[in-house]
Coordinates of all heavy atoms in Angstrom, one line a residue:
T1 N 24.3 205.3 96.4 CA 23.7 206.7 96.4 C 24.5 207.6 95.6 O 25.7 207.4 95.2 CB 23.6 207.2 97.9 OG1 24.9 207.6 98.3 CG2 23.0 206.1 98.8
E2 N 24.1 208.8 95.4 CA 24.8 210.0 94.9 C 25.8 210.5 95.7 O 26.8 211.3 95.3 CB 23.9 211.0 94.4 CG 23.2 211.8 95.5 CD 22.1 212.9 95.1 OE1 22.6 213.7 94.2 OE2 21.1 212.7 95.5
H3 N 26.0 210.1 96.9 CA 26.9 210.6 98.0 C 28.1 209.7 98.2 O 28.9 209.9 99.1 CB 26.2 210.7 99.3 CG 24.8 211.6 99.2 ND1 24.8 212.8 98.8 CD2 23.7 211.2 99.4 CE1 23.6 213.2 98.8 NE2 22.9 212.3 99.1
S4 N 28.4 208.7 97.3 CA 29.5 207.8 97.5 C 29.9 207.2 96.1 O 29.1 207.1 95.2 CB 29.2 206.7 98.6 OG 28.2 205.9 98.1
W5 N 31.2 206.8 96.1 CA 31.8 206.2 95.0 C 32.8 205.0 95.4 O 33.5 205.3 96.4 CB 32.7 207.3 94.2 CG 31.9 208.4 93.7 CD1 31.6 208.7 92.4 CD2 31.5 209.6 94.5 NE1 30.9 210.0 92.4 CE2 30.9 210.5 93.6 CE3 31.7 209.9 95.8 CZ2 30.3 211.7 94.0 CZ3 31.1 211.2 96.2 CH2 30.4 212.0 95.4
C6 N 32.8 204.0 94.7 CA 33.7 202.9 95.2 C 33.9 201.9 94.2 O 33.4 201.8 93.1 CB 33.0 202.1 96.4 SG 31.6 201.1 95.9
V7 N 35.0 201.0 94.4 CA 35.1 199.8 93.7 C 34.8 198.6 94.7 O 35.0 198.8 96.0 CB 36.6 199.6 93.2 CG1 36.8 200.6 92.1 CG2 37.7 199.7 94.1
E8 N 34.3 197.5 94.2 CA 33.8 196.5 95.1 C 34.2 195.1 94.5 O 34.1 194.9 93.2 CB 32.3 196.6 95.1 CG 31.6 195.5 95.9 CD 30.0 195.8 95.9 OE1 29.7 196.8 96.6 OE2 29.4 195.0 95.3
W9 N 34.5 194.2 95.4 CA 34.8 192.9 95.0 C 33.8 191.9 95.8 O 33.7 192.1 96.9 CB 36.3 192.4 95.3 CG 36.4 190.9 95.1 CD1 36.4 189.9 96.1 CD2 36.7 190.2 93.9 NE1 36.6 188.7 95.6 CE2 36.8 189.0 94.2 CE3 36.9 190.7 92.6 CZ2 37.1 187.9 93.2 CZ3 37.1 189.8 91.6 CH2 37.3 188.4 91.9
L10 N 33.1 191.2 95.0 CA 32.3 190.2 95.7 C 32.7 188.8 95.4 O 32.6 188.4 94.2 CB 30.8 190.3 95.3 CG 30.0 191.3 96.3 CD1 28.5 191.4 95.9 CD2 30.1 190.9 97.7
G11 N 33.2 188.0 96.4 CA 33.8 186.8 96.1 C 32.8 185.7 95.5 O 33.0 184.9 94.7
A12 N 31.5 185.8 96.0 CA 30.4 184.9 95.5 C 30.2 185.0 94.0 O 30.1 184.1 93.3 CB 29.1 185.2 96.2
K13 N 30.3 186.3 93.5 CA 30.2 186.5 92.1 C 31.5 186.5 91.3 O 31.5 186.5 90.1 CB 29.6 188.0 91.9 CG 28.1 188.1 92.3 CD 27.6 189.6 92.0 CE 26.3 189.6 92.4 NZ 25.8 191.1 92.1
K14 N 32.6 186.6 92.0 CA 34.0 186.6 91.5 C 34.1 187.7 90.5 O 34.5 187.5 89.4 CB 34.3 185.2 90.8 CG 34.2 184.1 91.9 CD 35.5 183.9 92.5 CE 35.6 182.5 93.2 NZ 35.2 182.6 94.7
Q15 N 33.7 188.9 90.9 CA 33.7 190.0 89.9 C 34.1 191.3 90.6 O 33.8 191.5 91.8 CB 32.6 190.2 89.1 CG 31.4 190.7 89.9 CD 30.2 190.7 89.0 OE1 30.0 190.0 88.0 NE2 29.1 191.6 89.4
L16 N 34.8 192.2 89.9 CA 35.2 193.5 90.4 C 34.3 194.5 89.7 O 34.2 194.5 88.5 CB 36.7 193.7 90.1 CG 37.3 195.0 90.6 CD1 37.4 195.0 92.3 CD2 38.6 195.2 90.0
S17 N 33.8 195.4 90.5 CA 32.8 196.4 89.9 C 33.2 197.8 90.5 O 33.7 197.9 91.6 CB 31.3 196.1 90.3 OG 30.9 194.9 89.8
A18 N 32.7 198.9 89.8 CA 32.8 200.2 90.2 C 31.2 200.6 90.4 O 30.5 200.2 89.6 CB 33.5 201.1 89.2
W19 N 31.0 201.4 91.5 CA 29.6 201.7 91.9 C 29.5 203.3 92.1 O 30.3 203.8 92.9 CB 29.2 200.9 93.0 CG 28.8 199.6 92.9 CD1 29.6 198.5 93.0 CD2 27.6 199.0 92.5 NE1 29.0 197.3 92.7 CE2 27.7 197.5 92.4 CE3 26.3 199.5 92.3 CZ2 26.7 196.7 92.2 CZ3 25.2 198.7 92.0 CH2 25.5 197.2 92.0
H20 N 28.5 203.9 91.6 CA 28.0 205.1 92.1 C 26.5 205.3 91.6 O 26.1 204.8 90.5 CB 28.9 206.2 91.3 CG 28.4 207.7 91.6 ND1 28.4 208.2 92.8 CD2 28.0 208.6 90.7 CE1 27.9 209.4 92.8 NE2 27.7 209.7 91.5
K21 N 25.8 205.9 92.4 CA 24.3 206.2 92.2 C 23.5 204.9 91.9 O 22.7 204.8 91.1 CB 24.1 207.2 91.0 CG 24.4 208.6 91.4 CD 23.9 209.5 90.2 CE 24.3 210.9 90.5 NZ 23.9 211.7 89.3
D22 N 24.0 203.8 92.6 CA 23.5 202.4 92.3 C 23.7 201.9 90.9 O 22.9 201.0 90.4 CB 22.0 202.4 92.7 CG 21.6 201.1 93.2 OD1 22.5 200.3 93.6 OD2 20.3 200.7 93.2
Q23 N 24.6 202.5 90.2 CA 25.0 202.1 88.8 C 26.3 201.2 88.8 O 27.3 201.7 89.3 CB 25.2 203.2 88.0 CG 24.0 204.0 87.7 CD 22.9 203.4 87.0 OE1 23.1 202.9 85.8 NE2 21.6 203.5 87.3
E24 N 26.2 200.0 88.4 CA 27.3 199.1 88.5 C 28.0 199.1 87.1 O 27.5 199.0 86.0 CB 27.0 197.7 88.8 CG 28.1 196.7 88.9 CD 27.6 195.2 89.1 OE1 26.4 194.9 88.9 OE2 28.5 194.5 89.6
T25 N 29.4 199.2 87.2 CA 30.2 199.1 85.9 C 31.2 198.0 86.2 O 32.0 198.0 87.1 CB 31.0 200.4 85.8 OG1 30.2 201.5 85.6 CG2 32.0 200.2 84.5
L26 N 31.0 196.8 85.5 CA 31.9 195.7 85.6 C 33.3 196.1 85.1 O 33.4 196.7 83.9 CB 31.3 194.5 84.8 CG 30.0 194.0 85.3 CD1 29.6 192.8 84.5 CD2 30.2 193.4 86.7
L27 N 34.3 195.7 85.8 CA 35.7 196.2 85.5 C 36.5 195.1 84.7 O 37.6 195.3 84.3 CB 36.4 196.6 86.6 CG 35.7 197.8 87.4 CD1 36.5 198.2 88.5 CD2 35.6 199.0 86.4
H28 N 36.0 193.8 84.7 CA 36.7 192.8 84.1 C 38.2 192.7 84.3 O 39.0 192.6 83.5 CB 36.5 192.8 82.6 CG 35.0 192.9 82.2 ND1 34.2 191.9 82.3 CD2 34.2 194.0 81.7 CE1 32.9 192.3 81.9 NE2 33.0 193.5 81.6
K29 N 38.6 192.7 85.7 CA 39.9 192.7 86.2 C 39.9 191.6 87.3 O 38.9 191.2 87.9 CB 40.3 194.0 86.8 CG 40.2 195.2 85.8 CD 41.4 195.5 85.1 CE 41.2 196.7 84.3 NZ 42.2 197.0 83.4
D30 N 41.1 191.1 87.6 CA 41.3 190.1 88.7 C 41.1 191.0 89.9 O 41.3 192.1 90.0 CB 42.7 189.6 88.5 CG 42.8 188.6 87.3 OD1 41.9 188.1 86.8 OD2 44.0 188.4 86.9
K31 N 41.0 190.1 90.9 CA 40.9 190.6 92.4 C 42.2 191.3 92.8 O 43.3 190.7 92.7 CB 40.5 189.5 93.3 CG 40.4 190.0 94.7 CD 40.2 188.8 95.7 CE 40.3 189.2 97.1 NZ 40.3 188.2 98.1
P32 N 42.1 192.5 93.1 CA 43.4 193.2 93.5 C 43.7 192.7 95.0 O 42.9 192.4 95.8 CB 42.9 194.7 93.7 CG 41.6 194.8 93.0 CD 41.0 193.5 93.1
L33 N 45.1 192.6 95.1 CA 45.6 192.3 96.4 C 45.7 193.6 97.4 O 45.6 193.4 98.6 CB 47.0 191.8 96.3 CG 47.1 190.6 95.4 CD1 48.6 190.1 95.3 CD2 46.2 189.3 96.0
K34 N 45.7 194.7 96.7 CA 45.7 196.0 97.4 C 45.1 197.0 96.5 O 45.4 197.0 95.3 CB 47.2 196.3 97.8 CG 47.4 197.5 98.7 CD 48.8 198.0 98.9 CE 49.6 196.9 99.4 NZ 51.0 197.5 99.7
V35 N 44.2 197.9 97.0 CA 43.5 198.9 96.3 C 44.2 200.3 96.8 O 44.2 200.6 97.9 CB 42.0 198.9 96.4 CG1 41.4 200.1 95.7 CG2 41.5 197.6 95.9
G36 N 44.7 201.0 95.7 CA 45.1 202.4 96.0 C 44.0 203.4 95.6 O 43.3 203.1 94.4
V37 N 43.8 204.4 96.3 CA 42.8 205.3 96.1 C 43.4 206.7 95.9 O 44.1 207.1 96.9 CB 41.6 205.4 97.2 CG1 40.5 206.5 96.8 CG2 41.1 204.0 97.4
F38 N 43.2 207.4 94.8 CA 43.8 208.8 94.5 C 42.7 209.7 94.3 O 41.9 209.6 93.3 CB 44.7 208.6 93.3 CG 45.5 209.9 93.1 CD1 46.2 210.6 94.1 CD2 45.7 210.4 91.9 CE1 46.9 211.7 93.9 CE2 46.4 211.6 91.6 CZ 47.0 212.1 92.6
L39 N 42.5 210.5 95.3 CA 41.5 211.6 95.3 C 42.1 213.0 94.9 O 43.0 213.5 95.6 CB 40.9 211.7 96.7 CG 39.7 212.6 96.9 CD1 38.5 212.4 96.1 CD2 39.4 212.7 98.4
E40 N 41.7 213.4 93.8 CA 42.2 214.7 93.3 C 41.0 215.8 93.2 O 40.3 215.8 92.3 CB 42.7 214.6 91.8 CG 44.0 213.8 91.7 CD 44.6 213.7 90.3 OE1 43.9 212.9 89.6 OE2 45.4 214.6 89.9
L41 N 41.0 216.6 94.2 CA 39.8 217.4 94.5 C 39.7 218.6 93.6 O 38.7 219.0 93.1 CB 39.7 217.8 96.0 CG 39.3 216.6 96.9 CD1 39.6 216.9 98.3 CD2 37.9 216.3 96.8
Q42 N 40.9 219.1 93.2 CA 40.8 220.3 92.2 C 40.4 219.8 90.8 O 39.6 220.3 90.2 CB 42.3 220.8 92.0 CG 42.3 222.0 91.2 CD 43.6 222.8 91.2 OE1 44.5 222.5 91.9 NE2 43.7 223.9 90.4
K43 N 40.7 218.5 90.4 CA 40.2 218.0 89.1 C 38.8 217.3 89.2 O 38.3 217.0 88.3 CB 41.1 216.8 88.7 CG 42.6 217.4 88.1 CD 43.3 216.3 87.6 CE 44.6 216.8 87.1 NZ 45.4 215.6 86.5

């Protein structure tokens, strides 16, 4: 939805994607062992 932003890993597809507004962006990266999230509200 327009109300959320995320990165997602689906093991069945073996792919990492970024999602917002139901739009998928394939990231072509390996599965992260840990995900860091940096939220900069002023920017």
Side-chain angles (χ1 to χ4, degrees):
T1 72
E2 63 183 310
H3 307 300
S4 62
W5 301 258
C6 73
V7 293
E8 176 181 292
W9 172 265
L10 272 182
K13 293 183 177 179
K14 302 272 191 265
Q15 67 185 29
L16 187 67
S17 302
W19 287 88
H20 175 59
K21 289 186 178 178
D22 209 22
Q23 298 287 316
E24 180 180 24
T25 302
L26 291 177
L27 299 180
H28 306 289
K29 307 273 187 188
D30 292 333
K31 178 185 176 188
L33 302 179
K34 189 187 300 184
V35 174
V37 183
F38 186 44
L39 180 60
E40 293 181 274
L41 290 160
Q42 187 172 354
K43 289 185 177 180

